[in-house]
Amino acid sequence: MKAVHLLAAKPWIWSWLAAAVVWTATVAVTGGAGAFGLTQAALTFAAFSVIVGTGQMFVITLGPGNIDLSVPATMTLAGTVALKLMNVDNGMIAPGLVVALAIGIAVGVGNYGLIKLLRIPPIIATLAMSFIVQSAAIWTNRGLRIKPPSLLAEFTTSSTFAIPNMAIVALLVAVIAWVLLEKSLYGRWILAIGQSMAAARMAGIPVDGTRFATYVLCAVLAALCGYLLACFSGGAALNMGAEYLLMSIAVVVIGGTSVAGGDSNVPGIWGASLFLFLVVSMLNTYGLGAGFRLIMTGLIIIGVIVVASGRRARQP
Amino acid sequence: MNLRLPSETVRLLIPALSLTALLAAVFWLQPRAMSYIGLNLLFNLAVPIALATIAQMLIMAVNNLDLSMGAFVSFVACVAATFLHDTPLLGWLILLAAIAAYAALGVIIHLRDLPSIVVTLGMSFVWTGLAVLLLPAPGGQAPEWARWLMTAKPPLVPMAIVASILIALVGHLIVMRSSFGVLVRGVGGNERSVERAGWSVLAARAGAYGLAGAFAVAAGIALVGLTTSADANIALRYTLLSIAGVILGGGEFVGGRVSPIGAVIGALTLTLAGSFLSFLRISPDWQIGAQGAILVIVLALRLLLNRLENRERRR
């Protein structure tokens, strides 16, 4: 009984439960067939949401008003430039990754630079930045569709011990994020800033440095995700990041991270990412079209936030 | 007696100056734009954006943010191109229901104290889903009257300019001159004091959301009037453009400090930024980037002006 109570108190348990329910409902329809394939697909596609969602979670944890809208543009630019640089050459995989991550760092520095220098809310700073980055991506892409190097395409689409490689990468990211958040000084600083920036400043926490590092981290993770996604889908497309703007925020919220900041959790991101993908495939299995899928996704996000806020209201 | 301008006017100064500078640059690059047809072409697409910006501004006036604006305008455009054209009565009923849904959102957000960003994020999926159900592929047809309205040729001043001025005036009257507008801005400024003064914050928030829904409906109809057909993704850019427009026009995210005239000017500036680049013969690839750059420049100017103002005050 005690274990159940302990589990129920964890905010991330709900997204995992929901994912399990939806998984069962889907497999029940197909009569058990395709359960393995469904799990593999869910792990692969959830991986991308996990990588961007983790970055967004760190930013959202910084407190109200902190959000990074430049995620999709960063993904697109990193994917496009990296593929162009690698130019189907297996020997260029590492330089491609370095360039993609460098783009992430540059965007993150730019984001925080705008926030700090112009003293504007993060939402508008990252929005302005995303316009510029997206333009740069359009300019470099020019409708070209360059294939990823064969080794990288192979790596991103295959599995090791029946676990998709992408899921392993995302798991690594999640573990590192968890250690950073729960065990490192930096993680404590983020949580403190999210709970009260004024108090954190009085306590001598380097607020500016921590926020700066967080925005850079988020952009770097977006760039990494863009690099992997471009290789996974056989080329970069200009709209490849588009759905990840809302997705990255949605997985953070559904995962049980407080939108008000100062309280976040990593496992919830995985649960929410799996859940959102499984909902889509469940509705697909039931033969419902894209319209219904979108409506359901929206209603679920609203439902979760209504329930979650009710829970908080009861135990202040 | 002093000669200092009211702060409201000062806040409008930068958006107005940026628009004038940009317009002057466009005229200098392409003198032929300085005509009836030229102006209409330059600002045609600004009309729906201006309406959506006013809608976003109303939400921002109560310290919230609407991330579903683009999806909602797309949905309205789809309704306008299908039901409103074929069965007008049913079409209007659907649009009224959509406005009621917006007001209901305001109520839910207020009652449960929900973060508006997340709720509207969820709604953006819902609106897009409904739009996809209505029009799985681009198509439909604009109602004749909407088409007529958007392509009308009033004497002397082109329709786009007339419409923009009208939108700004109506917005100004509602938000700055009516008691409802004062109440809404009061909620943004200090919710608790409005409540203590005996007003219903719930009604104010619901009203602001409902009115925003009405302006967004107008934006969708205006857009279909221009494009003649619709698509489920037709206006997705409007979410970010409308936020940028409000900020460009001197609005703030919190505190109920908004300006309808500024918001319309902001929308016009963003639209003009694209044309400016094409007159400069810079590749259209950089159009979105230019909007971002203009946003940054204007915000930097505003920071400078605020600093000057503060120094003045301290003296």
Side-chain angles (χ1 to χ4, degrees):
Chain A
M1 259 331 267
K2 205 176 170 197
V4 173
H5 274 291
L6 268 178
L7 269 180
K10 299 273 184 212
W12 50 262
I13 196 74
W14 304 105
S15 60
W16 280 94
L17 270 180
V21 168
V22 176
W23 185 87
T24 319
T26 316
V27 173
V29 172
T30 55
F36 179 71
L38 178 70
T39 314
Q40 282 237 320
L43 284 173
T44 310
F45 282 95
F48 297 111
S49 313
V50 167
I51 298 175
V52 276
T54 306
Q56 190 73 267
M57 182 192 73
F58 275 98
V59 170
I60 289 179
T61 308
L62 283 174
N66 283 295
I67 201 160
D68 188 351
L69 296 185
S70 66
V71 161
T74 312
M75 285 175 64
T76 312
L77 184 66
T80 318
V81 173
L83 282 195
K84 211 169 174 182
L85 181 80
M86 293 189 285
N87 205 9
V88 211
D89 180 3
N90 278 330
M92 293 293 281
I93 290 179
L97 181 62
V98 170
V99 165
L101 297 183
I103 287 173
I105 294 176
V107 174
V109 170
N111 273 339
Y112 196 67
L114 286 180
I115 295 172
K116 196 65 200 165
L117 290 179
L118 295 186
R119 300 188 182 175
I120 48 181
I123 192 166
I124 205 81
T126 52
L127 172 65
M129 196 67 196
S130 83
F131 282 167
I132 296 169
V133 175
Q134 181 72 22
S135 259
I138 296 175
W139 178 69
T140 41
N141 183 295
R142 295 200 169 277
L144 286 178
R145 203 170 166 89
I146 302 173
K147 283 212 166 99
S150 56
L151 273 178
L152 205 51
E154 173 74 27
F155 171 75
T156 48
T157 47
S158 56
S159 309
T160 313
F161 303 118
I163 301 171
N165 287 335
M166 282 301 91
I168 297 174
V169 173
L171 195 63
L172 266 177
V173 168
V175 167
I176 295 172
W178 186 82
V179 171
L180 262 183
L181 199 63
E182 305 285 336
K183 303 288 169 204
S184 80
L185 196 54
Y186 165 72
R188 300 286 110 181
W189 283 347
I190 295 184
L191 293 177
I193 293 172
Q195 279 157 20
S196 167
M197 192 137 97
R201 195 161 264 150
M202 301 241 189
I205 292 171
V207 172
D208 283 328
T210 311
R211 292 181 72 199
F212 173 72
T214 309
Y215 275 91
V216 172
L217 178 69
C218 178
V220 167
L221 282 175
L224 174 70
C225 182
Y227 174 82
L228 293 172
L229 185 62
C231 296
F232 173 77
S233 47
L238 281 178
N239 60 352
M240 64 183 236
E243 67 173 301
Y244 285 93
L245 173 58
L246 300 184
M247 192 61 87
S248 69
I249 305 173
V251 293
V252 173
V253 175
I254 296 181
T257 293
S258 161
V259 195
D263 177 18
S264 54
N265 73 87
V266 180
I269 303 257
W270 259 107
S273 303
L274 287 170
F275 171 61
L276 280 180
F277 176 81
L278 285 167
V279 165
V280 171
S281 42
M282 175 181 76
L283 297 174
N284 267 341
T285 327
Y286 291 163
L288 294 172
F292 276 108
R293 276 198 325 254
L294 287 164
I295 296 174
M296 287 304 293
T297 313
L299 292 180
I300 286 166
I301 294 176
I302 296 177
V304 166
I305 192 71
V306 169
V307 171
S309 78
R311 214 167 48 222
R312 188 146 309 141
R314 259 181 274 120
Q315 29 175 260
Chain B
M1 270 304 284
N2 64 7
L3 284 173
R4 281 193 50 195
L5 297 162
S7 66
E8 208 179 288
T9 317
V10 174
R11 288 182 86 73
L12 268 182
L13 213 58
I14 291 187
L17 282 181
S18 350
L19 180 62
T20 317
L22 205 54
L23 200 57
V26 167
F27 284 162
W28 181 66
L29 286 167
Q30 181 53 276
R32 268 177 294 177
M34 219 183 315
S35 62
Y36 186 94
I37 298 175
L39 277 176
N40 205 27
L41 284 177
L42 278 181
F43 288 118
N44 230 340
L45 281 171
V47 176
I49 298 179
L51 285 163
T53 309
I54 295 276
Q56 183 70 260
M57 186 200 71
L58 282 160
I59 308 265
M60 278 164 73
V62 289
N63 285 355
N64 288 357
L65 200 63
D66 186 355
L67 288 187
S68 66
M69 188 56 70
F72 183 68
V73 173
S74 307
F75 164 73
V76 172
C78 288
V79 173
T82 53
F83 285 109
L84 208 53
H85 178 261
D86 305 330
T87 49
L89 185 66
L90 186 60
W92 282 115
L93 280 178
I94 295 177
L95 293 180
L96 276 181
I99 294 176
Y102 246 83
L105 273 187
V107 171
I108 296 173
I109 287 174
H110 182 78
L111 283 183
R112 307 223 45 162
D113 202 14
L114 302 176
S116 61
I117 293 183
V118 182
V119 177
T120 53
L121 170 78
M123 283 313 288
S124 78
F125 284 99
V126 174
W127 298 125
T128 309
L130 289 171
V132 169
L133 285 184
L134 277 180
L135 276 180
Q141 209 175 358
E144 270 84 40
W145 55 270
R147 185 90 198 111
W148 174 83
L149 194 66
M150 295 310 292
T151 51
K153 290 195 168 54
L156 293 176
V157 189
M159 187 61 193
I161 308 286
V162 175
S164 302
I165 294 174
L166 264 181
I167 296 166
L169 272 182
V170 170
H172 186 76
L173 286 179
I174 295 178
V175 177
M176 309 307 277
R177 291 278 172 263
S178 79
S179 55
F180 168 72
V182 173
L183 186 59
V184 165
R185 285 182 293 134
V187 169
N190 189 337
E191 202 171 309
R192 194 172 288 174
S193 71
V194 169
E195 202 157 20
R196 294 237 169 104
W199 297 95
S200 161
V201 177
L202 176 68
R205 186 157 271 142
Y209 270 82
L211 198 59
F215 270 102
V217 163
I221 295 175
L223 183 61
V224 168
L226 284 173
T227 57
T228 69
S229 66
D231 165 29
N233 300 322
I234 190 168
L236 288 189
R237 286 184 329 126
Y238 280 29
T239 305
L240 302 183
L241 276 182
S242 63
I243 299 174
V246 176
I247 299 295
L248 264 184
E252 305 263 352
F253 277 99
V254 287
R257 297 181 84 172
V258 292
S259 154
I261 298 178
V264 172
I265 293 179
L268 293 179
T269 312
L270 283 175
T271 320
L272 200 56
S275 316
F276 174 62
L277 280 205
S278 53
F279 285 130
L280 272 181
R281 306 251 164 96
I282 291 175
S283 126
D285 298 352
W286 290 101
Q287 272 202 15
I288 317 171
Q291 290 175 338
I294 286 179
L295 201 56
V296 170
I297 294 170
V298 171
L299 289 172
L301 278 177
R302 193 204 287 181
L303 180 74
L304 206 69
L305 196 85
N306 279 350
R307 285 225 175 127
L308 288 178
E309 207 179 350
N310 284 345
R311 198 171 301 164
E312 200 100 315
R313 204 170 289 159
R314 239 178 276 140
R315 202 170 280 167

